[in-house]
Amino acid sequence: MNQESNGNPVVLFVDDEVHVLRSLQRALMDEPLTTLTAESGEQALRTLAREHIDVVVSDERMPGMSGSTLLTEVKNRHPEIIRIMLTGHADLEAAMQAINDGRIYRFLLKPVATDELASVIQKALRERAQSERLLSLSQQAGDVCSFEVLKSSEGRTRVRWSRNARTLLELPPDADLEDLDLLYSRLHPDDETRVRELNASCLKMLACASTEYRIRLSNDRIRWIAQTSDVAADPGTGAIRLLSVLRDITESKKQRERLEYQAYHDVLTGLGNRALLLDGLDEALHQSGTRQTYVALLFIDLDDFKIVNDSMGHAFGDWLLQAFAQRLNALELPAAMAARLGGDEFALLLRVDDAEQAGDGARAVQEALAEPFRHGDYEVHISASIGIALGRGAETAGLDLLREADTAMYAAKYKGKGSFRLFDKSMHDKASERFVLVGDMHRSLARDCFFLAFQPIVRLDTLVLAGYEALARWQHPERGLVMPNTFIPLAEESGLITRLGRQVTEKACRQAREWNDARPEAPPFMSFNVSVQQLHEADLARRLDVTITNLGLDPGLIKLEITESGLMHDVQLSMDVLAQLKALGVKLQIDDFGTGYSSLRYLQRIPADSLKVDKSFVMGMENDAEKRAIVRTIIDLARSLGMNVVAEGVETRAQLLLLRELGCEYGQGYLFDKPLPPEEAAQRRDYAHTLEIGN
Ligand code: C2E
Ligand code: CA
Ligand code: CA
């Protein structure tokens, strides 16, 4: 009985003929159904009162209670039970009527085919399950946000809105309407057709569906709604019920939009990121093919940003990146797209007619950096190295263009900070050569392959040797001698400059000690170059102190040359480090003076002992009044600040005489000597004789 049903649906057959009952039971033997039998309507009702029954299949013609009377009674007592009538042709009319009245689900003509019986019962059970699910959903939905569409078998529709749905959609209280037009009138125009069609097809195909759409509320607010619809036909009445549960997903939608935004944008600066740039690049390349323009990609790398970041703090670094991004964005370049690729690397995408215009774009970026960045008490000058790659047509890959621009950027850095270069094919080789050289430099630093050359520095009034500048040289194991203009930029770029700088310091100081001993009556001073990155080493001064003390060297003989642009880079830090160095008793000299942009205000604060006039002003000064004027101004300026002056790049007697006339104290250049190996340099004393110039 019911205990034996194993959870299977239970079918009750009612017929006065026992052999019919047996054959009906046999027909369902292989189905996952439990079958019971009753030989009369009265017996059937008693069974129904005792047992849980899912389906009643009853013969129409029986002695006593007829099948239709029984099934009407079943409907009244247990409306959820599926009712099926077995009839002969004679009762067809009555059976049809029973279906129309909703008393029965279906009728089957006798004799019943085995498989038809099973399939009708299974189908009825499926439909009932669906309908029940919907009913329970609709009961749960009483307080949930939902609407229900009821479509009668005659095609009339009614819509019922739950209270919460009205609130969600801001519908008027009397919004029980014949159709969903009120909903549709609230839909965002882009969503309307789609939602209309979806709801219509749900009703027509009896299919479940989920969708998302926007509702326009008052004050132009937009609310995102997620709608989940279930639909079923009532097996009894044939009416169709569609239930849609609504959820407000505005917040999660916003969240998703934020995530999507983040996937394509740089959070710090708000610029597009690499992914967005590559998308834009591919699109621009595609369009350029038809428009006969070029796509120019500018790869922008801020020079020495790492130093600023490490020394001034990351908060300042972040601010600087944001400020730079703003300047990039403010550039008035047509159809430009700016992106941050990460760190201090940015990109600018331009549409141009030719390479010249791309160069104009790069110049515009550099001009945007002319103004220093001011934040609180800080003021920072920063330059950018820019690589440019040009491309056209959909067959060009955006990623290739990006790589080329990157390579060109390295070439620009190599040329000198603050410059730009257009990519050409030969750069690929140079880029890989630089890579190889940096590796070589690592090994050479470990194997002591760097040595120093010493260039004499001469007192111009007496023409007596005063000191030397130590200049680094690289004895490359395969390439032979490599000059600093090749390896110093590489060393700075790769960070190896600090290791190299320590070796230079050691060697220069040791040589100074040696020459001090050789000429105790007039020991020559020793200059050497200190790169701006070394100024950021926390223990620069302490290490130098240890070296000098260990050698027992007079610190007054040591002179550190620091380039003007290096000092101006980060004035506050420079002041602090220079003060520490000064405290050791060593001398400080501003190198390459005249090429930077120091203002007098800063110059006054720098505790330097001397200035070195850049050789570009000295070379050709005898034929160039402007250069002479600059040199004179520098000398006057130095004097007013209490500094003395060294002129480098002295190649001719005319230059020597002019410099002497202008009151320049020291000179250095090929006229006297090139940088020399130490044994030769040690021989130099007096140039009056060799130059045959009197003093
Ligand atoms: P610098 O400090 O301006 O050094 C002077 C450069 O001018 C040297 O080139 C020297 O050989 C060259 N020079 C000297 N007199 C004359 C002249 O009369 N005419 C011409 N045309 N040139 C002259 P060098 O040795 O190739 O060094 C180039 C640059 O490399 C240096 O410029 C300096 O900035 C850098 N450097 C060299 N050694 C070191 C080092 O140990 N550390 C650092 N950080 N930089 C170094
Ligand atoms: Ca120098
Ligand atoms: Ca110089």
Side-chain angles (χ1 to χ4, degrees), residues 564 589-598 600 603 609-619 621 625-648 659 662-666:
E564 183 192 9
Q589 174 164 281
I590 305 176
D591 203 355
D592 296 351
F593 193 80
T595 58
Y597 27 62
S598 7
L600 193 57
L603 211 54
D609 303 277
S610 51
L611 294 181
K612 200 177 221 185
V613 184
D614 190 67
K615 52 182 170 291
S616 59
F617 302 112
V618 176
M619 293 159 94
M621 69 182 285
E626 204 179 325
K627 284 185 179 173
R628 277 199 301 277
I630 292 172
V631 174
R632 175 177 296 138
T633 309
I634 293 174
I635 292 170
D636 289 348
L637 181 66
R639 191 164 298 134
S640 73
L641 293 171
M643 302 181 191
N644 51 45
V645 179
V646 185
E648 70 176 5
L659 288 164
L662 291 172
C664 179
E665 285 92 352
Y666 299 98

Side-chain angles (χ1 to χ4, degrees), residues 562-583:
I562 305 163
T563 61
E564 183 192 9
S565 53
L567 285 173
M568 288 305 131
H569 197 287
D570 171 354
V571 174
Q572 193 48 53
L573 173 101
S574 300
M575 297 300 170
D576 296 347
V577 178
L578 295 187
Q580 290 173 26
L581 293 169
K582 271 306 289 191

Side-chain angles (χ1 to χ4, degrees), residues 342-363:
D344 59 343
E345 291 176 346
F346 293 81
L348 196 61
L349 175 64
L350 301 174
R351 282 161 224 252
V352 296
D353 293 330
D354 49 30
E356 191 49 44
Q357 270 191 9
D360 292 344
R363 268 184 286 271

